[in-house]
Amino acid sequence: MNKSKGLKFNYSFLLLGLLTIVLIAFTIAKPDTLWKGSQWMSMAAQFPEYGVFALGVMFCFISGNIDVSFVALGDMAAIFACKFMLMATDGRIPESQTNLVVVGAVLLAIAIGAVGGFINGTLISRLGIPSILATLSTQMVFRGLGIALTRGDAVSGIPLVYSEVGHIKVFGFLPLPLLIFLGVFLICAFLLKYTTYGKKLYMVGSNQKAARFSAINTTRMINATFIISGICAAIGAMLMVSTMNSIRADFGSSYLMRAILILVLAGVLPDGGMGKIKNVLIAIVTIQIIASGVNMFPALNSYYGNLISATMLLIVLMATTRLLENGRVKKRAKKAIPEATKS
């Protein structure tokens, strides 16, 4: 059912080894800067945005599909939510009720994300459109709607009570976005490990035709998976709003490739049926340390972080392919032995 079972220990150790190498390298280069408390608090406040995006797309990858529309969908949902907040708080309600408006705006964004995800899922599961083409098309639709709503400008002037969310520190040191990310992470981990949905998701990703013959409603599974991705996209975009105090139709466009990089680095491949959520967490932390580490060198361009991440990705892909191939050879050998005995 789960192609990654054979890699359970090897792959996790490989990722932890890469994380250790990254930490050692930056410790040697910038020990005073890397291990400052403020540096780690800054990193903890930065990765929840794209971390939530990556968690949502992870479900699509496990199902054997890919979603490239999640950033555009999240931006569009956040634009609707921010416009709702601006209209509702424009002198029409008492200031004491602003909190209710903010809650309503967040729920509106989540609802729009779910609808967008359902549209993606329907195009793929019912119409049979390949996921890359379906989500590439809806990406342009979602982004076009966002641009039409804002005329390409940023929506700003968000109520202060919401813009402070991205800067609140619980217990004086834990950024609130980090706690939101951990909450989403735990929910996703629960869905994958302790529910029938998670077990069926790996089955669908491993072999959709076999899953269908096993009485699994693959159409419903794919729709549910893309709805989860859409909800995570909306949450990630609303986290961006809380830190930037504004939203635009092209905000977070770099997060598309970053989220895919994280998933592939974590061994969650769009082939489907493989991937562990704990490896995704390790990959997120590794990528964030690289990005922050490069910024510690004023002479280096920030794009060097992408170069280092891409190099690590190639190394991990080569190692993963070898491990997977070894697993397949062993399985073929085990199947061949009984057949030879029978003959």
Side-chain angles (χ1 to χ4, degrees):
M1 180 177 68
N2 187 349
K3 296 178 188 175
S4 66
K5 267 192 173 178
L7 294 177
K8 183 175 180 182
F9 297 106
N10 292 333
Y11 201 77
S12 296
F13 285 152
L14 176 62
L15 286 176
L16 288 171
L18 285 171
L19 176 58
T20 303
I21 291 169
V22 169
L23 283 171
I24 291 172
F26 285 116
T27 298
I28 294 172
K30 290 280 185 177
D32 296 334
T33 308
L34 177 65
W35 295 104
K36 280 184 178 178
S38 58
Q39 179 72 15
W40 286 91
M41 286 176 63
S42 175
M43 286 191 280
Q46 290 174 28
F47 75 77
E49 298 171 5
Y50 62 83
V52 173
F53 281 137
L55 291 176
V57 184
M58 173 190 64
F59 284 85
C60 299
F61 273 37
I62 293 174
S63 73
N65 294 287
I66 187 169
D67 183 4
V68 296
S69 69
F70 61 94
V71 175
L73 173 57
D75 286 340
M76 185 190 71
I79 287 170
F80 272 103
C82 290
K83 281 190 166 290
F84 171 77
M85 279 192 280
L86 291 175
M87 287 189 297
T89 56
D90 190 19
R92 300 180 185 178
I93 64 168
E95 192 173 338
S96 58
Q97 295 182 13
T98 303
N99 290 339
L100 293 176
V101 172
V102 167
V103 172
V106 172
L107 293 176
L108 175 63
I110 290 173
I112 293 172
V115 171
F118 177 77
I119 292 171
N120 282 335
T122 300
L123 292 173
I124 295 163
S125 63
R126 294 189 180 277
L127 300 183
I129 301 174
S131 58
I132 182 67
L133 296 179
T135 56
L136 188 61
S137 301
T138 54
Q139 178 195 55
M140 291 187 283
V141 172
F142 297 147
R143 182 148 293 154
L145 282 172
I147 293 172
L149 285 168
T150 61
R151 297 181 180 180
D153 298 326
V155 180
S156 56
I158 311 301
L160 186 61
V161 66
Y162 186 78
S163 61
E164 287 179 345
V165 168
H167 307 284
I168 292 175
K169 289 184 173 53
V170 181
F171 305 121
F173 66 96
L174 283 175
L176 184 56
L178 174 63
L179 296 181
I180 294 172
F181 167 79
L182 291 176
V184 176
F185 176 84
L186 291 174
I187 293 171
C188 292
F190 177 80
L191 286 174
L192 289 175
K193 192 167 184 179
Y194 297 106
T195 65
T196 55
Y197 165 80
K199 294 177 176 63
K200 290 178 180 179
L201 184 66
Y202 281 102
M203 291 179 67
V204 170
S206 297
N207 191 324
Q208 188 169 330
K209 187 178 290 186
R212 195 180 297 116
F213 281 113
S214 300
I216 294 175
N217 190 329
T218 55
T219 298
R220 187 183 300 170
M221 286 294 300
I222 291 173
N223 284 342
T225 298
F226 276 87
I227 286 172
I228 291 172
S229 178
I231 290 173
C232 288
I235 295 172
M238 292 304 288
L239 284 175
M240 282 197 298
V241 173
S242 69
T243 55
M244 299 180 183
N245 197 27
S246 62
I247 187 65
R248 203 170 60 190
D250 61 349
F251 270 11
S253 55
S254 63
Y255 289 164
L256 171 60
M257 291 311 300
R258 183 173 291 191
I260 293 175
L261 169 64
I262 286 168
L263 293 175
V264 176
L265 185 64
V268 186
L269 304 179
D271 292 346
M274 65 179 76
K276 295 289 184 180
I277 192 169
K278 64 179 180 182
N279 291 344
V280 175
L281 181 61
I282 298 170
I284 290 172
V285 174
T286 303
I287 295 298
Q288 181 57 56
I289 291 173
I290 292 172
S292 298
V294 170
N295 290 334
M296 289 188 286
F297 298 88
L300 289 180
N301 190 301
S302 60
Y303 291 105
Y304 277 99
N306 295 333
L307 174 62
I308 297 171
S309 301
T311 304
M312 288 175 56
L313 176 61
L314 286 173
I315 295 170
V316 171
L317 277 175
M318 288 187 288
T320 305
T321 304
R322 188 60 181 262
L323 288 169
L324 280 171
E325 189 58 38
N326 288 341
R328 292 191 188 105
V329 170
K330 287 178 183 177
K331 284 182 180 178
R332 287 179 194 141
K334 286 180 181 178
K335 288 181 180 177
I337 290 172
E339 288 175 3
T341 306
K342 288 177 184 178
S343 61

